[in-house]
Amino acid sequence: MKPINVGLLGIGTVGGGTFTVLKRNAEEITRRAGRPIEITVVADKNLELARKVTAGACRVTDDAFAVVSDPDVDIIVELIGGYGVAKELVLKAIANGKHVVTANKALLATCGNEIFAAAQEQGVMVGFEAAVAGGIPIIKALREGLTANRIEWIAGIINGTTNFILSEMRDKGLPFAAVLKEAQRLGYAEADPTFDIDGIDAAHKLTIMSAIAFGNSMSFEGVYIEGISKLEAADMKYAEQLGYRIKLLGITKRTAEGVELRVHPTLIPAKRLIANVEGAMNAVLVKGDAVGITLYYGKGAGAEPTASAIIADLVDVTRMHTADPEHRVPHLAFQPDAMVDLTILPQSEVITRYYLRLRVEDKPGVLADITRILADHQISIEAMMQREPDAGEEQTDIIMLTHKTREKSIDAAIVRIEALPVVKGALIRLRLEELL
Ligand code: HSE
């Protein structure tokens, strides 16, 4: 049967992996797809690299715009990243009637509504399995495998760099800055790791999962984002003593008042499987009303894991290429005319549990002052621990875990607690999820 032709934009790590895996597994992929999938042209600014990787197997150009207008190309694989030229190329490819497969989470989270509307209009597919959690088929699971369910919540470790850093901080008791430096030396973290450590990369991925889970439009601007750069090794140690681990989680939850969308360091019970996901691995928990909790685990980045997701999309597109667009799997799981604009809850209205750490003078009445303020705000304490002061030390750390409370109540209590003369410096506040 006539092959389906692919134009690949960007032959960096993931592009190279896609080229390699498609070639290595060509025979089985063809048997699955029903026809050969061939990369016929690669566009990259670095022509020398493109020639080296492709080794004469296909055409090479530095003009990506020519590729998206090439009448012989059926599918564009966009691996350029970002929302500048990549957006122009994706929209041009769609306008030219080409299907698109992309790993570009930033583009979809911020411009996805426009891109999917354009694709719908043109009757083309946009595959994006590789945009969330690399090789883990989480988009497939949410969009198809769990389609019977009313999804209640998703909580995921969806950034490998930060999970690696947190694992090292916990294992070695080292401060954030030292571990980040080491991660950069080992090539785990980018030279500019801002998107990873500030939680933005995780927020992009969370936005995409939330849209598919709830049939909501992409709402990146509604995500509450807190990264890991202020985390202290001391909190990891105290969390451990209380039976918890700290992970950077992306959480989206459907509540009666609206949808929660938040990325922040989170205490989770150490006995949960997801608490034991270490190093650069990713994992996503999904709670559906029928199935209960399911867990998806694997590599969230890297050449071949990401290629695995890209090629899965290529096979899907190839199988559905000739199908009536009305009968394909909808881009965002729900039929386009059945998408809704759900209210995104401001973080101040989110209800969760909290970990509080305070440095206080070690003298009578201190705890009473603090608990009185918490009681005034209807905040109930679930557990408490006080570090034994060293000999001669006049200050100590108090660590408290609260029951569920609304974020604005804890914020108001923190302002009052920090103003107490016996409390020294800023209070450390982290969120806690049971994930049940
Ligand atoms: N930088 C991401 C991570 C991988 O560290 O998980 C690509 O999304």
Side-chain angles (χ1 to χ4, degrees):
M1 200 172 192
K2 181 178 163 305
I4 198 151
N5 293 337
V6 177
L8 183 65
L9 312 183
I11 192 87
T13 308
V14 175
T18 304
F19 203 86
T20 308
V21 176
L22 252 186
K23 197 164 146 204
R24 187 172 72 227
N25 297 340
E27 193 262 338
E28 289 210 14
I29 291 168
T30 304
R31 281 166 54 208
R32 290 186 172 122
R35 59 198 278 200
I37 298 173
E38 284 179 6
I39 296 177
T40 51
V41 54
V42 167
D44 201 290
K45 288 271 167 253
N46 187 343
L47 279 173
E48 204 181 317
L49 173 72
R51 285 200 191 98
K52 191 168 152 222
V53 176
T54 56
C58 69
R59 284 183 289 132
V60 163
T61 173
D62 61 358
D63 184 359
F65 281 94
V67 176
V68 298
S69 300
D70 185 333
D72 291 333
V73 169
D74 303 302
I75 311 174
I76 293 293
V77 174
E78 184 275 306
L79 299 174
I80 293 170
Y83 11 65
V85 73
K87 182 182 175 189
E88 273 184 67
L89 286 163
V90 165
L91 287 173
K92 192 91 203 282
I94 291 170
N96 288 337
K98 301 190 190 308
H99 306 291
V100 173
V101 171
T102 178
N104 193 337
K105 58 228 95 186
L107 177 64
L108 294 180
T110 55
C111 314
N113 297 327
E114 181 185 348
I115 288 168
F116 292 121
Q120 190 62 29
E121 177 97 16
Q122 287 294 323
V124 297
M125 289 172 269
V126 177
F128 53 95
E129 185 64 74
V132 182
I136 305 175
I138 187 64
I139 300 300
K140 192 83 168 173
L142 285 170
R143 201 162 54 175
E144 298 176 50
L146 299 175
T147 202
N149 288 264
R150 189 169 196 276
I151 306 289
E152 294 177 7
W153 53 260
I154 299 174
I157 296 172
I158 43 181
N159 183 271
T161 306
T162 44
N163 202 51
F164 172 82
I165 293 173
L166 295 182
S167 300
E168 291 287 292
M169 283 174 73
R170 186 180 73 85
D171 276 359
K172 302 185 176 154
L174 290 170
F176 168 80
V179 178
L180 174 62
K181 231 185 213 157
E182 180 66 359
Q184 282 171 317
R185 196 184 65 77
L186 293 170
Y188 282 109
E190 310 274 346
D192 177 6
T194 322
F195 262 40
D196 291 321
I197 63 176
D198 287 351
I200 298 162
D201 175 74
H204 287 146
K205 295 167 181 165
L206 182 71
T207 302
I208 297 171
M209 290 196 290
S210 182
I212 296 176
F214 306 133
N216 195 18
S217 43
M218 296 279 178
S219 310
F220 175 69
E221 62 295 339
V223 187
Y224 171 81
I225 310 174
E226 195 178 300
I228 63 164
S229 57
K230 295 201 183 86
L231 266 185
E232 293 179 34
D235 295 304
M236 306 208 131
K237 195 182 72 192
Y238 290 136
E240 198 83 7
Q241 288 169 9
L242 289 158
Y244 294 84
R245 296 237 169 113
I246 301 178
K247 296 288 181 188
L248 182 73
L249 288 190
I251 299 169
T252 185
K253 196 179 285 188
R254 183 165 15 198
T255 76
E257 297 166 25
V259 171
E260 295 179 10
L261 262 175
R262 47 194 173 101
V263 172
H264 51 68
T266 314
L267 274 81
I268 49 182
K271 61 187 176 206
R272 300 273 179 276
L273 278 176
I274 195 168
N276 296 282
V277 170
E278 300 290 6
M281 300 304 280
N282 281 198
V284 183
L285 282 172
V286 182
K287 170 102 187 275
D289 67 338
V291 72
I293 293 177
T294 53
L295 174 65
Y296 308 84
Y297 169 84
K299 288 187 179 157
E304 294 207 3
T306 312
S308 165
I310 286 166
I311 296 168
D313 276 344
L314 286 175
V315 171
D316 267 359
V317 171
T318 304
R319 285 170 175 157
M320 299 305 288
H321 178 54
T322 51
D324 169 5
E326 298 294 311
H327 296 115
R328 294 179 185 146
V329 178
H331 291 117
L332 293 176
F334 290 72
Q335 297 298 337
D337 58 0
M339 297 290 289
V340 285
D341 272 319
L342 296 170
T343 304
I344 306 297
L345 275 187
Q347 185 62 19
S348 56
E349 297 299 333
V350 163
I351 297 174
T352 187
R353 293 182 57 201
Y354 294 88
Y355 160 104
L356 308 175
R357 167 163 69 88
L358 316 83
R359 175 140 279 244
V360 297
E361 284 177 24
D362 191 21
K363 65 180 196 187
V366 169
L367 205 51
D369 289 347
I370 295 164
T371 52
R372 190 168 308 112
I373 293 174
L374 291 173
D376 286 349
H377 292 272
Q378 304 297 314
I379 298 164
S380 168
I381 299 163
E382 198 252 6
M384 214 209 72
M385 185 170 87
Q386 180 174 327
R387 180 177 61 80
E388 185 137 345
D390 295 333
E393 199 184 9
E394 286 172 0
Q395 293 182 0
T396 188
D397 290 334
I398 292 177
I399 297 96
M400 291 175 176
L401 302 183
T402 73
H403 283 294
K404 278 189 179 171
T405 183
R406 207 175 281 275
E407 182 126 340
K408 66 184 175 197
S409 303
I410 204 95
D411 284 346
I414 288 172
V415 170
R416 287 181 59 198
I417 291 171
E418 284 179 337
L420 291 171
V422 289
V423 173
K424 304 294 164 196
L427 179 152
I428 304 291
R429 181 269 308 272
L430 295 168
R431 300 168 187 88
L432 186 156
E433 294 285 334
E434 288 296 330
L435 301 178
L436 286 171

